[in-house]
Amino acid sequence: AQSVTQLDSQVPVFEEAPVELRCNYSSSVSVYLFWYVQYPNQGLQLLLKYLSGSTLVESINGFEAEFNKSQTSFHLRKPSVHISDTAEYFCAVSGSGGSNYKLTFGKGTLLTVNP
Amino acid sequence: DTEVTQTPKHLVMGMTNKKSLKCEQHMGHRAMYWYKQKAKKPPELMFVYSYEKLSINESVPSRFSPECPNSSLLNLHLHALQPEDSALYLCASRPGLAGSNEQFFGPGTRLTVL
């Protein structure tokens, strides 16, 4: 079984400031890791994923996350945020073997970008 | 087509009504999911279908009845719901139950039970 901890339930920042949203996971097996974003009144959109290979993964809109196996972390970062990045961000983990049907989500971090 | 669509967008129903939620994808995915999401919470898994067969039921009350008529379509039939069932209902799909578990989500149906 897996679990995910998102340490910050809310992160307020000013526009153009850097941001880090923290995610730690627990698993007894190898994992896949995901960040999903949910804008108000919308469904979840995949922001980025770690499956294997390079531990640094990037999205098309400037976010990046680094898989750190020793610290069991997958923190999300952006060097300069925009008002439009205001949303709920969910970190999720899945086992990488067998019939891995379940995504285990963290409780979410609400990122609020202020002008 | 890389989308998961859901209808209706909003639904208001009484506790004695029967209604259905619909989800559709044309990506050739063979696994489809229903989730329930309460405000300010992560999605909670309800059902998983694989190759049109129910694979997982996460102990969901029988007033929720899923159906997968074909590989592109997933329904959720609702009957005798309670006000606490009010939530955002999300559908998701993925290519199959093996592999990366990257799931593609629809926009959801906002359900209000009066």
Side-chain angles (χ1 to χ4, degrees):
Chain A
Q2 292 86 37
S3 67
V4 178
T5 302
Q6 291 183 247
L7 291 164
D8 306 301
S9 59
Q10 297 186 57
V11 173
V13 294
F14 288 109
E15 195 173 17
E16 297 183 7
V19 72
E20 178 179 80
L21 306 185
R22 295 179 291 169
C23 172
N24 287 90
Y25 70 92
S26 172
S27 177
S28 57
V29 298
S30 297
V31 296
Y32 298 131
L33 291 157
F34 306 87
W35 276 101
Y36 282 88
V37 58
Q38 187 172 32
Y39 298 102
N41 299 312
Q42 294 189 27
L44 275 69
Q45 298 174 30
L46 181 67
L47 190 58
L48 41 75
K49 61 189 178 188
Y50 171 77
L51 305 181
S52 64
S54 172
T55 57
L56 184 65
V57 290
E58 298 176 353
S59 72
I60 57 172
N61 56 354
F63 283 94
E64 64 178 33
E66 185 156 22
F67 170 55
N68 188 318
K69 189 174 181 180
S70 62
Q71 297 187 5
T72 60
S73 67
F74 191 54
H75 302 329
L76 182 69
R77 300 184 183 96
K78 189 170 185 180
S80 175
V81 293
H82 302 288
I83 300 279
S84 59
D85 292 323
T86 294
E88 189 85 32
Y89 291 79
F90 291 100
C91 182
V93 65
S94 169
S96 64
S99 183
N100 58 346
Y101 68 91
K102 191 161 187 171
L103 269 180
T104 300
F105 289 93
K107 292 186 176 181
T109 298
L110 177 62
L111 174 64
T112 303
V113 181
N114 298 300
Chain B
D1 188 351
T2 57
E3 255 195 331
V4 177
T5 59
Q6 290 187 244
T7 54
K9 195 166 182 170
H10 300 276
L11 178 63
V12 179
M13 59 186 291
M15 289 190 284
T16 58
N17 292 157
K18 284 186 182 181
K19 295 286 185 184
S20 297
L21 310 184
K22 179 180 169 181
C23 171
E24 200 160 5
Q25 56 86 16
H26 295 287
M27 295 179 279
H29 290 175
R30 303 312 298 269
M32 295 183 77
Y33 291 66
W34 279 116
Y35 288 89
K36 173 183 177 180
Q37 186 181 25
K38 301 285 272 185
K40 302 194 185 302
K41 300 284 187 187
E44 298 171 33
L45 181 63
M46 299 175 74
F47 303 103
V48 181
Y49 271 81
S50 176
Y51 289 85
E52 295 104 70
K53 290 191 178 0
L54 183 64
S55 293
I56 303 290
N57 176 341
E58 293 278 290
S59 303
V60 179
S62 60
R63 58 186 184 268
F64 295 91
S65 175
E67 178 198 19
C68 190
N70 60 58
S71 60
S72 301
L73 194 53
L74 186 66
N75 297 319
L76 186 63
H77 303 298
L78 314 172
H79 174 55
L81 294 194
Q82 305 296 311
E84 59 264 28
D85 296 321
S86 298
L88 182 67
Y89 288 83
L90 294 164
C91 174
S93 72
R94 58 183 281 205
L97 283 188
S100 76
N101 205 356
E102 176 181 348
Q103 295 181 23
F104 296 76
F105 284 81
T109 293
R110 177 78 57 190
L111 175 68
T112 303
V113 182
L114 300 177

